Amino acid sequence: MKIEDLIAQIHQKKSFLCVGLDTDLDKIPEHLLKEEDPIFAFNKAIIDATHPYCVAYKPNIAFYEAYGLEGWKSLERTMAYLNANHPEMFTIADAKRGDIGNTSTRYAKAFFETMDFDSITIAPYMGKDSVEPFLEFEGRHTILLALTSNQGAFDFQTKNVDGQELYKEVLSVSKTYKGAERLMYVVGATKASYLEDIREIVPESFLLVPGVGAQGGSLQEVCKYGITKDIGLLVNSSRGILYASTGLDFAETAAKKAQEIQQEMQIELSKIK
Amino acid sequence: MKIEDLIAQIHQKKSFLCVGLDTDLDKIPEHLLKEEDPIFAFNKAIIDATHPYCVAYKPNIAFYEAYGLEGWKSLERTMAYLNANHPEMFTIADAKRGDIGNTSTRYAKAFFETMDFDSITIAPYMGKDSVEPFLEFEGRHTILLALTSNQGAFDFQTKNVDGQELYKEVLSVSKTYKGAERLMYVVGATKASYLEDIREIVPESFLLVPGVGAQGGSLQEVCKYGITKDIGLLVNSSRGILYASTGLDFAETAAKKAQEIQQEMQIELSKIK
């Protein structure tokens, strides 16, 4: 997907919400467990209910991988359903992969070709030749971990490297990679004020922001420091939407939650000059 | 597997060789492509031929993931075969995973429980709460990326963080994690002299060393700086063994290559006092 198409969709839906499909058999409504593929049944219902209010879906690959072959089947079915019925949706494989050159190319093929994701999250630790193979794919996007929203982010990401924090070094250095125009970045919302500094380094890049809501970040704060004239933000919510109800009304309630966020986003979008 | 069992196996076989199962349909002998599961057929033949000369097998997960569901099936078959026929082998999922707490637990379950690997490689960027969930598993080992053997290693890993290189910071900080006694580290052999400094920080930890042979590292150099009284090294070779011949004699030739390395290792082991 071209970035212009994502931006157009955001303007049309007045939403930059990404719904994280962190589908967990221990948390989905019990009545779905009777289905042949409960994970897919849950995802399909969530997608059918929430798609008017969001522009992206982000399956966290660990949740599928944990169930072995069955989990991969559910993931492939979910992607096939999304691409057939909602081709306008920006899809993110939250995989946090990364390996040396040829091996990264294999991961890229798995997610961009075999499963037809629009984008994938990548860990930066192995540097240039672990990231660039993903950047070669036309019309696909690579979302590099910069500043994550977990406590462990302070172990290394915020440490000082040659005069600036490591996550800023990741932003600066990655801008020099071949195909850098296809880069986006993960920036945790629990540190919204950091976005001011981040925008100095990557003034226009799209940022994928997890951690709004359940993890305590504020949408207003994120927008205050992070929004650009072309929006430049995808804000993710997973549990807050997926598991808002675990009854028969789970999909309806998820849609209601997604719509609430969408309405807050509409206000923020209206402030862009 | 307990570390003592790995050490005992090394003494018994006089080898600390790990064979990397980077199985690539474009590189395996053509006659195997007729098999129902060519990847498994290749792996099985390689394992049957090389197991007397090595103590560990390391499938690189990207190679399997790239083939979608079929690839995962081949990986599961390979692991089932190894665990049934060669339970003494130390198995490494070269997955380079890492995510926030609960999500890391899911990856850990996928590899330690669903597929019954003895160990997994992990990226350190997200810090403590992304690594510790792996360390909770009794009898399993977590192999943290410290210094990798690719060019991109110089982007971040060797940069100075609070007075020492980032990879040293990763070694130092990770030693404080809960369950750190189950940590091992990836250290690329292309920088064997770095091992001297590394041994000051982690004098006894096992190091997984890729990049000997094809990528130019020297076994003698690696041992000179890295070997401990309990060995503390697993040296990996992938392509140099797997694709030494692409004819009907591929397995026999792979065994010959593995044996050559084992014989060099035997000499190095005899030098331990």
Side-chain angles (χ1 to χ4, degrees), chain A residues 208-245:
Chain A
L208 171 64
V209 184
V212 167
Q215 290 169 59
S218 139
L219 182 67
Q220 287 71 29
E221 286 279 296
V222 167
C223 291
K224 180 175 167 191
Y225 298 110
I227 214 162
T228 70
K229 69 172 174 26
D230 282 325
I231 301 101
L233 292 175
L234 287 172
V235 169
N236 182 75
S237 175
S238 302
R239 286 166 291 171
I241 290 174
L242 300 189
Y243 307 121
S245 157

Side-chain angles (χ1 to χ4, degrees), chain A:
Chain A
M1 182 183 291
K2 281 188 205 151
I3 207 79
E4 296 76 35
D5 295 335
L6 173 60
I7 296 168
Q9 195 193 166
I10 292 173
H11 284 301
Q12 193 213 321
K13 290 183 173 168
K14 301 186 186 359
S15 169
F16 44 98
L17 173 62
C18 172
V19 174
L21 296 172
D22 299 2
T23 307
D24 182 344
L25 287 178
D26 294 335
K27 285 191 186 155
I28 68 175
E30 250 189 76
H31 71 276
L32 290 177
L33 299 176
K34 296 187 301 262
E35 300 277 334
E36 189 211 331
D37 183 344
I39 295 177
F40 174 66
F42 178 79
N43 287 351
K44 181 177 174 301
I46 291 288
I47 292 164
D48 288 346
T50 58
H51 72 88
Y53 313 113
C54 66
V55 295
Y57 287 104
K58 178 175 75 65
N60 187 320
I61 306 306
F63 284 75
Y64 302 84
E65 207 164 290
Y67 298 115
L69 277 182
E70 290 308 311
W72 282 96
K73 273 186 210 162
S74 304
L75 179 61
E76 289 200 2
R77 263 184 213 139
T78 302
M79 283 307 294
Y81 183 77
L82 267 173
N83 285 324
N85 297 281
H86 302 284
E88 77 287 1
M89 282 292 169
F90 187 73
T91 51
I92 304 169
D94 195 2
K96 304 188 175 70
R97 299 293 194 262
D99 208 307
I100 57 170
N102 279 346
T103 313
S104 270
T105 300
R106 287 176 177 271
Y107 279 126
K109 282 186 180 171
F111 290 101
F112 292 156
E113 292 182 352
T114 310
M115 283 192 277
D116 202 11
F117 274 98
D118 292 311
S119 66
I120 182 172
T121 59
I122 295 298
Y125 192 72
M126 295 180 71
K128 182 180 171 114
D129 56 323
S130 73
V131 178
E132 285 186 342
F134 291 95
L135 299 176
E136 284 173 17
F137 288 74
E138 194 88 35
R140 311 283 167 168
H141 305 270
T142 300
I143 312 178
L144 204 58
L145 300 185
L147 186 60
T148 56
S149 58
N150 62 319
Q151 190 55 32
F154 298 103
D155 272 9
F156 309 114
Q157 296 169 26
T158 54
K159 290 227 167 125
N160 203 292
V161 176
D162 297 340
Q164 65 179 350
E165 291 97 325
L166 176 60
Y167 76 91
K168 291 185 186 169
E169 188 74 4
V170 166
L171 294 170
S172 307
V173 171
S174 66
K175 281 173 68 178
T176 67
Y177 292 169
K178 202 177 162 208
E181 67 280 7
R182 295 183 191 125
L183 276 175
M184 301 179 171
Y185 299 94
V186 172
V187 178
T190 43
K191 306 168 188 86
S193 61
Y194 288 43
L195 282 165
E196 202 165 7
D197 290 352
I198 289 171
R199 278 298 178 212
E200 283 187 21
I201 309 174
V202 288
E204 298 183 346
S205 302
F206 257 83
L207 308 178
L208 171 64
V209 184
V212 167
Q215 290 169 59
S218 139
L219 182 67
Q220 287 71 29
E221 286 279 296
V222 167
C223 291
K224 180 175 167 191
Y225 298 110
I227 214 162
T228 70
K229 69 172 174 26
D230 282 325
I231 301 101
L233 292 175
L234 287 172
V235 169
N236 182 75
S237 175
S238 302
R239 286 166 291 171
I241 290 174
L242 300 189
Y243 307 121
S245 157
T246 54
L248 288 168
D249 64 343
F250 74 98
E252 206 181 305
T253 311
K256 222 175 280 173
K257 284 282 162 193
Q259 192 180 16
E260 281 171 26
I261 303 175
Q262 179 273 320
Q263 284 169 347
E264 283 184 60
M265 288 178 167
Q266 186 165 349
I267 296 169
E268 297 302 322
L269 286 171
S270 70
K271 296 179 188 166
I272 300 178
K273 280 155 202 142

Side-chain angles (χ1 to χ4, degrees), chain B residues 67-78:
Chain B
Y67 298 116
L69 276 182
E70 289 308 310
W72 282 98
K73 273 186 211 164
S74 305
L75 179 61
E76 289 200 2
R77 263 185 213 138
T78 302

Side-chain angles (χ1 to χ4, degrees), chain B residues 176-187:
Chain B
T176 67
Y177 293 169
K178 201 176 163 208
E181 66 280 6
R182 297 183 189 125
L183 276 175
M184 302 181 170
Y185 299 94
V186 172
V187 178

